[in-house]
Amino acid sequence: MSFGISSMLTKLGALTNSDHAVVVSINIFVALLCACIVIGHLLEENRWMNESITAIAIGLCTGVIILLTTGGTSSHIFVFSEDLFFIYLLPPIIFNAGFQVKKKQFFRNFTTIMLFGAVGTLVSFFIIFFGAKQIFKKMDIGDLGLGDYLAIGAIFSATDSVCTLQVLNQDETPLLYSLVFGEGVVNDATSVVLFNAIQNFDLTHINIWSVLELIGNFLYLFIISTLLGVFAGLLSAYIIKKLYFGRHSTDREVAIMILMAYLSYMLAELFNLSAILTVFFCGIVMSHYTWHNVTESSRVTTKHAFATLSFIAEIFIFLYVGMDALDIEKWKLVRTSPGKSVGVSSILLGLVLVGRAAFVFPLSYLSNLAKKSTTEKIDFKQQITIWWAGLMRGAVSVALAYNQFTRAGHTQLPGNAIMITSTITVVLFSTVVFGMMTKPLVRLLTHPQKYFSSMISSEPSSPKSFIVPLLENEQESEFDLGPNVPRPTSIGMLLATSSHTVHRYWRKFDNAFMRPVFGGRGFVPFVPGSPTEQSVHLPRSPQQSIHQTH
């Protein structure tokens, strides 16, 4: 009996020590996050640095300190977890991207964005896959199969445009910003969908039908994931519009928006869909309908809550990548051939450069052929900026690499270790070196045309510019194109005309059917007793709403 009690106490003591170690680790990591924010703020005006590079640098310094204090046995506080990344860190980043996007610019350039984000990613995927397969087999880096090479293509097709987006201003360079931003989100979704499709692909029997099946599965995931996000956004708008939680508590409005957004992401994960696409389009729909159905205090709260969660998640990811770059366990497996590891990283960087150039310039040329207005065409300097923006690799590449080449953050195979260390090397080099050169390069290549004011944007009621009063007719409508715009008389003419015409028809459909049901700007009636100003929620006619900006 005494033996059993002592054994139980020993286990309890071990559990207590383990919990204490976790608490210590969390304290250190939170302190590092605070340091990243403070130092990033102090370096805000620096032409070379940004918060991503700052977080990586602090992570590297922390890894060195941990290596020294542990005698070279460890370099990180937490072990990387794909679940932590995909379930907790990625959703707020992608949702906020959709929630804050300027929808007018995004959908006006939707065709070009899809060309770059989907078709371009596939081109880059095939170039990296074939290049890696041909070169790495000759280098004998380990026992890598066809599935591994396909995964490498998907891993290094995932871009990270954070550094470029921190430099670009969507009011000064709206076309460039919308293309870089939109392509980045669609690219991440396409890469993850490709990666998941490869995992479920039967590599033992490859023929034309299996390839068509792969393409069909890819398109199915893409379309169904988008529809699920749109459905979740519309459902949240309908619930809030009908029940009007803000009459009694704005907290309930904020809570239902956050939970419905996260529910859309988890439902996509449950049904093995692309959760990135789902939560991105859920964010777009919520900003178009749901956000206008809540009270003013809830608008301010949700706007800042989503942005803050996204900001913390991004800093967390880059901080961890910096620390994990010095993980001694992985480097021990490749220490016998450091030259081979450097060679693999250099080849991957070269394939990324070639794969990026192989679609940016040809697809830009095709996109320009379909545009009549010179202001909407992508000039050569903008093409270089778009090419450069997608050269950096980030957290999605790291997460996919861990998913393919490790188990629970660890690996004992030299070939897998080389791929993990090479991925981290490529991410560090591209983020730090390319990221430091981004701000000077963008300033050199772009000559932004200043608009009236950064506060008076083309979307005065979008979440990013909520302070601007809801103007009646003072803003030029994106859909009020004047009497000289020709009306298409056939499908062929519709496809040949400017996308403004498509926007006009969408706005008419939106005003006639969607907004009366799901709410939105100008279509939310005033409810007595609500904390919202009556002037904001007075119902307006569809004719009045057409003259409002989106």
Side-chain angles (χ1 to χ4, degrees):
M1 181 70 181
S2 60
F3 176 77
I5 294 175
S6 62
S7 176
M8 186 185 303
L9 291 174
T10 303
K11 290 181 180 179
L12 185 61
L15 183 63
T16 304
N17 292 333
S18 175
D19 290 343
H20 178 72
V22 171
V23 171
V24 171
S25 299
I26 293 175
N27 273 278
I28 295 173
F29 214 93
V30 172
L32 290 174
L33 287 172
C34 294
C36 288
I37 294 171
V38 172
I39 296 174
H41 169 72
L42 296 175
L43 297 175
E44 180 72 26
E45 300 301 324
N46 189 285
R47 62 177 300 186
W48 302 106
M49 298 293 288
N50 57 56
E51 277 161 338
S52 304
I53 300 174
T54 303
I56 286 178
I58 292 177
L60 284 169
C61 295
T62 305
V64 170
I65 294 172
I66 296 174
L67 272 175
L68 295 175
T69 54
T70 59
T73 59
S74 178
S75 69
H76 48 63
I77 303 169
F78 297 120
V79 176
F80 187 88
S81 168
E82 294 89 356
D83 290 340
L84 172 67
F85 176 79
F86 282 107
I87 295 180
Y88 300 109
L89 298 179
L90 195 58
I93 296 174
I94 303 300
F95 176 81
N96 186 63
F99 193 71
Q100 305 280 18
V101 68
K102 289 205 170 185
K103 297 178 289 297
K104 182 183 76 172
Q105 286 295 332
F106 181 82
F107 286 105
R108 177 174 290 173
N109 301 298
F110 187 74
T111 304
T112 307
I113 287 171
M114 293 304 295
L115 269 178
F116 286 152
V119 179
T121 302
L122 290 174
V123 172
S124 178
F125 162 75
F126 282 113
I127 289 176
I128 295 173
F129 159 63
F130 283 115
K133 186 172 182 292
Q134 296 300 319
I135 299 173
F136 291 167
K137 278 189 174 181
K138 296 178 181 178
M139 295 178 64
D140 189 27
I141 65 171
D143 188 19
L144 298 180
L146 179 61
D148 293 322
Y149 290 117
L150 287 168
I152 289 171
I155 289 167
F156 289 96
S157 297
T159 65
D160 186 359
S161 306
V162 172
C163 291
T164 309
L165 290 174
Q166 287 175 350
V167 178
L168 293 176
N169 186 305
Q170 61 180 333
D171 290 318
E172 295 175 353
T173 55
L175 172 64
L176 196 57
Y177 187 95
S178 66
L179 291 178
V180 171
F181 170 82
E183 187 225 336
V185 176
V186 177
N187 167 276
D188 283 346
T190 305
S191 300
V192 175
V193 169
L194 261 177
F195 186 85
N196 291 335
I198 291 167
Q199 304 300 307
N200 302 322
F201 186 54
D202 184 8
L203 300 171
T204 57
H205 301 91
I206 299 178
N207 51 49
I208 185 65
W209 297 111
S210 60
V211 173
L212 290 175
E213 183 182 352
L214 175 64
I215 296 173
N217 186 35
F218 171 79
L219 293 175
Y220 165 79
L221 289 175
F222 212 93
I223 295 170
I224 299 301
S225 301
T226 301
L227 292 177
L228 177 60
V230 171
F231 173 77
L234 291 176
L235 181 62
S236 69
Y238 186 80
I239 291 173
I240 290 179
K241 180 174 181 289
K242 288 298 180 183
L243 300 182
Y244 207 83
F245 293 95
R247 185 189 311 172
H248 303 295
S249 170
T250 58
D251 296 339
R252 291 171 184 163
E253 288 184 322
V254 177
I256 199 71
M257 285 186 70
I258 294 175
L259 292 175
M260 285 291 289
Y262 191 64
L263 179 62
S264 72
Y265 186 90
M266 295 310 299
L267 281 174
E269 286 286 337
L270 178 65
F271 295 118
N272 295 318
L273 301 174
S274 172
I276 293 179
L277 266 181
T278 297
V279 78
F280 175 69
F281 279 96
C282 179
I284 290 179
V285 173
M286 275 194 174
S287 71
H288 187 66
Y289 297 109
T290 313
W291 191 74
H292 294 280
N293 296 346
V294 300
T295 60
E296 290 300 299
S297 57
S298 295
R299 294 187 194 185
V300 176
T301 303
T302 52
K303 183 262 181 184
H304 288 293
F306 293 142
T308 302
L309 290 172
S310 172
F311 175 75
I312 293 174
E314 286 181 5
I315 297 297
F316 186 103
I317 291 167
F318 283 108
L319 181 63
Y320 184 86
V321 168
M323 276 191 289
D324 198 59
L326 299 174
D327 184 15
I328 200 69
E329 293 180 6
K330 301 179 185 67
W331 288 106
K332 279 181 180 178
L333 294 172
V334 300
R335 71 176 184 269
T336 56
S337 55
K340 188 176 291 186
S341 180
V342 173
V344 170
S345 303
S346 303
I347 290 167
L348 288 171
L349 269 174
L351 290 173
V352 166
L353 290 166
V354 174
R356 183 79 184 163
F359 76 83
V360 168
F361 299 105
L363 293 183
S364 297
Y365 176 76
L366 290 176
S367 176
N368 289 340
L369 289 178
K371 295 178 179 177
K372 295 180 180 180
S373 173
T374 54
T375 57
E376 293 182 352
K377 291 186 177 182
I378 310 169
D379 61 39
F380 185 68
K381 289 183 177 180
Q382 290 176 327
Q383 292 176 30
I384 294 177
T385 305
I386 294 169
W387 170 73
W388 184 269
L391 293 179
M392 283 157 277
R393 296 296 176 265
V396 173
S397 294
V398 173
L400 294 180
Y402 271 92
N403 187 288
Q404 178 69 22
F405 297 109
T406 70
R407 295 291 179 273
H410 300 284
T411 182
Q412 299 298 324
L413 300 175
N416 288 2
I418 286 178
M419 290 313 306
I420 290 292
T421 54
S422 298
T423 301
I424 293 175
T425 303
V426 170
V427 169
L428 287 177
F429 183 88
S430 62
T431 302
V432 175
V433 178
F434 294 164
M436 290 176 69
M437 297 169 62
T438 294
K439 194 176 290 186
L441 181 69
V442 170
R443 287 179 177 175
L444 177 67
L445 293 175
T446 60
H447 302 285
Q449 179 183 358
K450 295 289 183 180
Y451 284 76
F452 301 108
S453 170
S454 60
M455 288 300 297
I456 304 179
S457 68
S458 57
E459 294 180 69
S461 62
S462 66
K464 270 204 169 182
S465 53
F466 68 96
I467 302 175
V468 180
L470 301 178
L471 305 177
E472 285 281 348
N473 298 317
E474 295 179 25
Q475 293 288 331
E476 180 186 359
S477 172
E478 64 181 284
F479 298 96
D480 188 13
L481 303 171
N484 297 323
V485 177
R487 299 296 192 275
T489 57
S490 68
I491 295 178
M493 288 184 64
L494 178 63
L495 295 175
T497 53
S498 169
S499 60
H500 298 297
T501 308
V502 179
H503 281 149
R504 178 188 294 276
Y505 284 111
W506 157 249
R507 188 57 180 266
K508 286 183 177 180
F509 173 78
D510 195 27
N511 288 331
F513 299 101
M514 299 297 289
R515 292 193 184 192
V517 176
F518 299 104
R521 186 176 179 221
F523 283 82
V524 182
F526 171 70
V527 178
S530 75
T532 311
E533 292 294 331
Q534 181 171 358
S535 59
V536 174
H537 286 277
L538 280 174
R540 300 186 177 111
S541 66
Q543 288 76 17
Q544 288 178 308
S545 300
I546 289 175
H547 292 288
Q548 294 172 345
T549 54
H550 179 50

